[in-house]
Amino acid sequence: MNKDYIQTWIDLAIEDLEVSKILFDNRKYSNSFYHFQQASEKGLKAYAFMVKTYTSENDANKTGHYTLKVFIDSANERQKEIDFLKDYEFEKIIGSKNLEDYSNNLVSGLKSFPQRKEIFEYSNEILDDLLKTINDLSEYNFEFPENFKEVLMEKMDSIFDLVHKFNPEKVEEAKKDFRDFIKDEKQLNQLIENTKEHIAISLIEYYYLLILCCSNLISHNHNNIARYPEFNFNPLVYYNSDLPIIQKLPKFAQYLYEALLQLKKWNDLII
């Protein structure tokens, strides 16, 4: 997808967020939250184009305002990967409990998502939990176990044992090459550093993706009710300074702004 096209999504999202702040500062809460929702939606769609989850304008149009579908589709794909790993007995390496816990977390996560036309009213406690989760991930520091070499050898031996039946000769050759490699402390340390760098990059991406997820989660379906009155509903009354999502909006907007700036940096790197 053309990087200029993606940049337009990001620029429009940033503009929506800036408008949201101006309206919030002037206590125009319903329209402020509407523009926050728009910034969240456009930011996530920009990311989806960037990582090729979306490959055409039609993909974005099919999602519409239900941007949580991006995460629902991703979770369903992860479930298929879990089934694949189980079919080929990789749970012996990863651990059956780890796979089962991961699968259960995906299921419970999907159940917590509102449906397409559903609107959740989040309490202060839930919103604080989301903010804490975002903050905790920003401060997370991954460290290898002290016995990393032993753990690596054990896991690799498990992999060799698992695939040995497919091509014994090649597996024995690969096992020997690995053991020669692991004896070289310089090569091992380089592997550790490269792996740490890869994990750090992945954690940064997960951090900003979590922000996009939370922003879209709390603003889901507010694109309509924040703008239009209904017979028994007045958005100008509903969105007030006592509403939890309004009280927490500046903090979520701050995180979202950081995420949008990061999207801009990533998009600049696209050749």
Side-chain angles (χ1 to χ4, degrees):
M1 183 57 68
N2 184 287
K3 65 183 293 182
D4 292 335
Y5 176 74
I6 296 173
Q7 188 58 53
T8 301
W9 281 95
I10 299 170
D11 290 341
L12 287 171
I14 291 174
E15 185 172 293
D16 270 317
L17 201 57
E18 290 170 346
V19 170
S20 175
K21 184 180 185 308
I22 293 170
L23 290 167
F24 186 92
D25 291 342
N26 286 275
R27 295 183 294 180
K28 308 297 184 183
Y29 298 126
S30 62
N31 273 310
S32 173
F33 200 70
Y34 164 71
H35 282 282
F36 173 82
Q37 183 278 326
Q38 286 290 292
S40 302
E41 178 181 324
K42 289 166 187 166
L44 181 57
K45 286 180 176 178
Y47 176 81
F49 278 118
M50 200 175 295
V51 298
K52 296 181 172 56
T53 300
Y54 289 170
T55 58
S56 70
E57 286 183 300
N58 189 48
D59 292 329
N61 292 335
K62 284 192 295 185
T63 301
H65 294 300
Y66 191 47
T67 47
L68 296 178
K69 186 177 184 298
V70 173
F71 299 103
I72 292 170
D73 290 346
S74 176
N76 289 331
E77 287 300 315
R78 300 295 82 75
Q79 287 287 12
K80 292 178 183 177
E81 291 171 1
I82 291 172
D83 292 338
F84 172 83
L85 291 172
K86 288 180 177 179
D87 288 343
Y88 286 88
E89 301 179 331
F90 273 88
E91 57 189 322
K92 294 178 181 178
I93 300 167
I94 301 170
S96 56
K97 186 178 185 305
N98 291 333
L99 275 181
E100 201 62 36
D101 287 346
Y102 183 36
S103 178
N104 290 337
N105 287 336
L106 287 173
V107 172
S108 62
L110 289 179
K111 286 182 179 178
S112 70
F113 276 12
Q115 298 300 310
R116 184 178 289 271
K117 295 184 179 180
E118 195 173 15
I119 297 175
F120 284 0
E121 291 191 13
Y122 295 99
S123 65
N124 269 312
E125 290 75 18
I126 292 176
L127 295 172
D128 282 337
D129 282 345
L130 290 175
L131 290 170
K132 183 178 184 302
T133 300
I134 293 172
N135 183 68
D136 287 348
L137 184 55
S138 72
E139 297 177 349
Y140 181 75
N141 184 32
F142 176 83
E143 292 291 341
F144 280 105
E146 292 183 3
N147 62 335
F148 172 73
K149 183 175 181 178
E150 290 75 16
V151 173
L152 178 62
M153 291 179 68
E154 179 185 338
K155 293 297 183 183
M156 288 302 299
D157 282 342
S158 297
I159 293 175
F160 290 136
D161 290 343
L162 186 63
V163 299
H164 190 273
K165 58 187 176 184
F166 298 113
N167 194 329
E169 185 178 339
K170 285 290 185 182
V171 170
E172 288 299 325
E173 182 182 333
K175 184 186 290 189
K176 181 182 180 303
D177 289 343
F178 172 73
R179 294 200 176 279
D180 291 340
F181 171 85
I182 209 79
K183 289 176 185 176
D184 189 324
E185 290 294 326
K186 185 177 180 180
Q187 288 189 113
L188 176 62
N189 290 333
Q190 186 61 53
L191 171 66
I192 292 173
E193 290 306 311
N194 290 344
T195 305
K196 280 184 176 179
E197 183 179 350
H198 178 76
I199 291 173
I201 291 171
S202 296
L203 285 174
I204 290 172
E205 182 174 357
Y206 295 152
Y207 168 67
Y208 289 113
L209 186 56
L210 176 63
I211 293 173
L212 291 172
C213 178
C214 291
S215 299
N216 279 273
L217 184 63
I218 66 169
S219 62
H220 168 66
N221 252 348
H222 286 271
N223 56 292
N224 284 322
I225 71 167
R227 288 187 297 165
Y228 301 114
E230 296 180 5
F231 185 70
N232 292 315
F233 178 82
N234 184 345
L236 299 177
V237 175
Y238 177 79
Y239 295 94
N240 61 74
S241 58
D242 293 327
L243 192 66
I245 53 174
I246 296 301
Q247 293 176 357
K248 307 296 181 184
L249 186 58
K251 189 61 180 175
F252 278 104
Q254 178 185 334
Y255 279 127
L256 179 57
Y257 186 66
E258 291 176 14
L260 294 175
L261 291 182
Q262 185 60 46
L263 289 180
K264 190 176 179 72
K265 290 178 183 178
W266 284 334
N267 193 51
D268 287 340
L269 296 175
I270 296 177
I271 300 175

